[in-house]
Amino acid sequence: MRHLLLLPSLFALVAATAPRDVDSYLAQPTYTPASAEAVKAMCDDALGRIAGMRRALETQRSAPSLATLTHYDDMTAILTGLSADANLLAEVAPDDARRDAGRDCQSRAGEANDGIQLSRPIYDRLKAIPLAKASPEARHVLARALAGFDRAGVSRDEATRVKVAALNKEITDLGLKFEANIANGRKTVTADPAELDGLPADYIAAHKPGADGKVTISTDTPDISPVMSYAKSDALRKRLYEANLTRAYPANDDVLRALFTRRDELAKLLGRPNFATLALEDKMIGTPARATAFLEEAGRAGEAASKRDYDRMVKRLAADQPGTTELAPWSSGYVSQLIRKESYALDPQLVRRYFAYDNVRDGMLQLTRDLMGVEIRPWKTPVWDPSVEAYEMLDKGQVIGRFYFDTHPRPGKYSHANVVPLRAGVKGRVVPTAALVTNFPAGDHKTGLMEHRDVETFLHEYGHLIHVMMAGQREYSLSGPLNLEWDFIEAPSQMLENFVWDYDTLARFAVDADGKTIPRELVEKMNKARYFGEALGDRRQYGLSNVSLNYHLGLPQPDLTAQYAQAYDAYGLPRTPAGVHPQDSFGHLGGYSAFYYTYMWSKTISTDLFTRFKTQGLRNPAVAKAYRETVLQPGSAKPAASLVEDFLGRPMSIDAYKERLNAGE
């Protein structure tokens, strides 16, 4: 899930006769605008409503009260919903014109948000709300809202606020351009059919030679992932790796340099030494110094295990390529699967036979029913592409959420995996809605076989969607999960990943083409091999975290690629090779800015959360109920650290994560 201004949805607001009350305004729309002009009209209408609510709040003569907070929450729900809908269109709309119109609307929504955050009259009214009769949730929502105003610069003089607004607008537009360049930077390479040796038969069947006798392979995930794991051709893996990590170069270099520079200017204008300081103030970790200390402690915890696995991979590669003394990054996935096959008797191509997309999807839905005690049924509603599916989630017969699955690649579509929370939900008023956007192969055992790691990714992203559904019964939309400290937001989804390593879970949906259930012995082999290379993979994440942080500790260096390599190589293995420019397609630099460390910080929390399931049972209904009620349902109604303590009965600890890193020794 990316860090965006996302919450409820409102792209149904085109008709002049539409109801004007907030709840009707947030009623379920369709995401099928007929043209770019229709997108603009929707955006205009929503922004007009937001402007009116802002004026009303700024000029109210009645004494501030909790009704003032509700007014502010409703306005924020509409604004964040507008941004969410625009974001979804930018990711999945069927043509460039509508995708570009979505990005333009995102920019305009961002500008409206900046104006509200810099409104001194709104800030003063919120700050004057008496809290004697306020609920704990209202107190927490208000405290975080006021802190957000303070960070935005609301207390600065008028001239400074004008500069802040201008910089924010430029930063938003640069971020959107950065993401657009990645989405439009898709590359292809050609290969001789012989270079596909080692790849699964269904992959080869789907990649027939063209008239020139060559096979075309794209940087889309379903194309590139199998090549990097199975292709025996080192040359093919290298070509595709380099294509993937140059696909937005050089276009994004200038964009990133400007983005980092403007962020640094904004931070200094707001009295901070750098943008990382500003960005981390409202996170659990708090400061760049604490983030650096975390990278040092956790990033070094698995150093011995990662070095052991790295050396093992080099040795295995040298057996086929004499003279090899180091591991190239385009070989790591390939040699990893060789070792799993030879040392753990685990054939990844055998494993994938049990993971046809249709079955995996149904398995994810059933897992929700089992753990959360809810029902899921198809939802008849217009969709933006024939491949998109829609569902409703019910609890005790009542609809508590709605969601979309847009899970297969298309030209121009967002190329990674995320969840767009379209509606936060408000108890008794608004049903939460979200969209899962991924790029998995479609179909059954003939066309839709998935790698087990893709199944894990599916459950991870689906976990974000579940969080949106479960937290959608709060008093305020601002209590939704998107307002949690952002470095906690990945933890619940990462905790769920453990379930696709559990035989009892997999046995419910993992079957081969003949309908035979995945053997228990195979799952046992998967688990024995599970932690091989994990510490090495985590070092990559710490390297990326260091890149993200380093770019925001001051002005960018003249050579962004060299700066990337220096920061990444302090942790990551294999080292950054020459000839690639990974920063230009590192999409998280847009939304996550300085806090990509979120993934690893959250992983330490998720590993700790899982200890209760591990000791008391993955399918223990009491544990699942406690998890739903103490971690998911509160949303952001209380601090993230309190959610962890409520579930575990103690404060969070990094000990379980450190133990996990060395599990393969």
Side-chain angles (χ1 to χ4, degrees), residues 57-75:
L57 191 55
E58 289 176 330
T59 59
Q60 277 181 350
R61 295 186 177 182
S62 58
S65 66
L66 288 174
T68 308
L69 179 58
T70 298
H71 185 144
Y72 175 74
D73 186 64
D74 286 346
M75 178 178 65

Side-chain angles (χ1 to χ4, degrees), residues 17 115 153 177 196 244 266 270 273 277 303 316 351 371 373 489 585 594 636 649 660:
T17 57
K177 187 174 182 180
L196 272 59
N244 191 46
L266 175 65
L270 294 174
T277 298
E303 199 162 24
R316 175 59 186 86
V351 172
L371 284 181
I489 203 71
S585 54
S636 59
R660 170 177 171 163

Side-chain angles (χ1 to χ4, degrees), residues 114-175:
D114 295 336
I116 290 170
Q117 290 293 294
L118 292 169
S119 170
R120 186 66 196 226
I122 294 177
Y123 174 76
D124 288 340
R125 288 190 62 78
L126 291 175
K127 197 169 184 179
I129 293 174
L131 297 176
K133 297 182 180 180
S135 66
E137 179 178 341
R139 292 171 184 268
H140 186 65
V141 165
L142 183 58
R144 284 185 62 79
L146 291 173
F149 275 90
D150 287 331
R151 283 191 305 277
V154 72
S155 298
R156 307 282 167 167
D157 59 64
E158 176 63 23
T160 301
R161 294 203 303 274
V162 170
K163 291 179 182 178
V164 166
L167 277 172
N168 278 329
K169 174 69 164 63
E170 194 171 356
I171 288 168
T172 297
D173 290 346
L174 286 166

Side-chain angles (χ1 to χ4, degrees), residues 606-617:
S606 71
T607 308
D608 204 20
L609 290 172
F610 185 63
T611 57
R612 184 170 173 190
F613 281 96
K614 189 175 181 179
T615 57
Q616 298 180 26

Side-chain angles (χ1 to χ4, degrees), residues 95-128:
D95 54 54
D96 287 341
R98 278 176 280 188
R99 289 192 292 269
D100 288 343
R103 294 185 186 101
D104 180 70
C105 188
Q106 280 183 282
S107 174
R108 296 172 67 196
E111 190 173 10
N113 179 69
D114 295 336
I116 290 170
Q117 290 293 294
L118 292 169
S119 170
R120 186 66 196 226
I122 294 177
Y123 174 76
D124 288 340
R125 288 190 62 78
L126 291 175
K127 197 169 184 179

